[in-house]
Amino acid sequence: MSRALDGRTALVTGASRGIGRAVAERLAAEGALVAVGYARDEAAAREVVDAIAGAGGRAFPVRAELGVPGDVETLFDALDEALGPDAPLHILVNNAGISVHAPIEDVTPEIYDRGFAVNTRAPFFVTRRALPRIPDGGRIVTVTSGVTRISFPEAIAYAMTKGALETFTLALAKHLGPRGITVNNVAPGIVDTDANAGWLRGDPGAWEASARRSALGRVGVPRDVAGVVAFLASDDAGWVTGVTVDATGGGDL
């Protein structure tokens, strides 16, 4: 049986763990050849690649720390080495990001700049560099956050980085519409990942409180988000562009 993404190549940034790993595994299960982007943890990225191969899929790692000088060049040099400089990139998933968990009083210029460098500047210029390689009818999906809809003063700078991405997507969807390239966001809520483990599992009441914020009564898991990304990457989503799909489980309804 053919799969939804057979014959397509996808790049997923921040794919060595959490939501990014789940997205990489889901896209590979749908038939895509997946470039597993990672910053430092080569062993984790190899684990993802091996898991995909073990399930019958295809993947390879590409290393580039985003948010530092030369990051885009490093990423695409690795991609070119693996695929060749003329190989098409049908799907781009901008997932890599860092947490900026602090109220405004605790956000220093250094924290602020680092958050925007990784969460906003990097996906902007990764996308810009990828555009010549994305064929007509391609897909761009960016992982933002439910904090662009739900007031979250404890992470005000983080929310700003993700809000900027949603504006970016809105404008880019219009710009790329004539080429049939769709551009969308997926906004997760509270998800049980390594990045959230410290506060989510460290405080006995945090898990229960987080589950209560969802209309579905539970904390999200990475595959919840991966399924939405896979839909937006598929042909079935060809008439969906310029939108943010809320994947918070009905957070704070």
Side-chain angles (χ1 to χ4, degrees), residues 153-168:
E154 308 95 300
I156 186 170
Y158 175 79
M160 291 171 65
T161 68
K162 296 297 188 175
L165 287 176
E166 293 191 357
T167 300
F168 169 63

Side-chain angles (χ1 to χ4, degrees), residues 51-73:
I52 288 172
R58 299 177 301 145
F60 59 92
V62 285
R63 180 175 184 173
E65 181 176 355
L66 300 180
V68 300
D71 53 357
V72 176
E73 290 75 15

Side-chain angles (χ1 to χ4, degrees), residues 112-206:
Y112 182 95
D113 289 346
R114 176 64 176 160
F116 270 88
V118 177
N119 294 359
T120 310
R121 185 182 188 277
F124 181 101
F125 285 102
V126 167
T127 302
R128 181 177 181 269
R129 177 67 176 269
L131 284 180
R133 300 180 69 146
I134 299 177
D136 292 357
R139 300 283 186 264
I140 299 172
V141 183
T142 297
V143 178
T144 60
S145 173
V147 299
T148 62
R149 174 179 64 81
I150 302 166
S151 179
F152 202 64
E154 308 95 300
I156 186 170
Y158 175 79
M160 291 171 65
T161 68
K162 296 297 188 175
L165 287 176
E166 293 191 357
T167 300
F168 169 63
T169 287
L170 185 65
L172 191 63
K174 182 76 169 181
H175 181 64
L176 296 179
R179 293 183 54 196
I181 298 172
T182 65
V183 190
N184 293 290
N185 303 311
V186 177
I190 300 171
V191 179
D192 184 19
T193 64
D194 292 346
N196 290 332
W199 67 270
L200 187 57
R201 294 183 176 274
D203 179 351

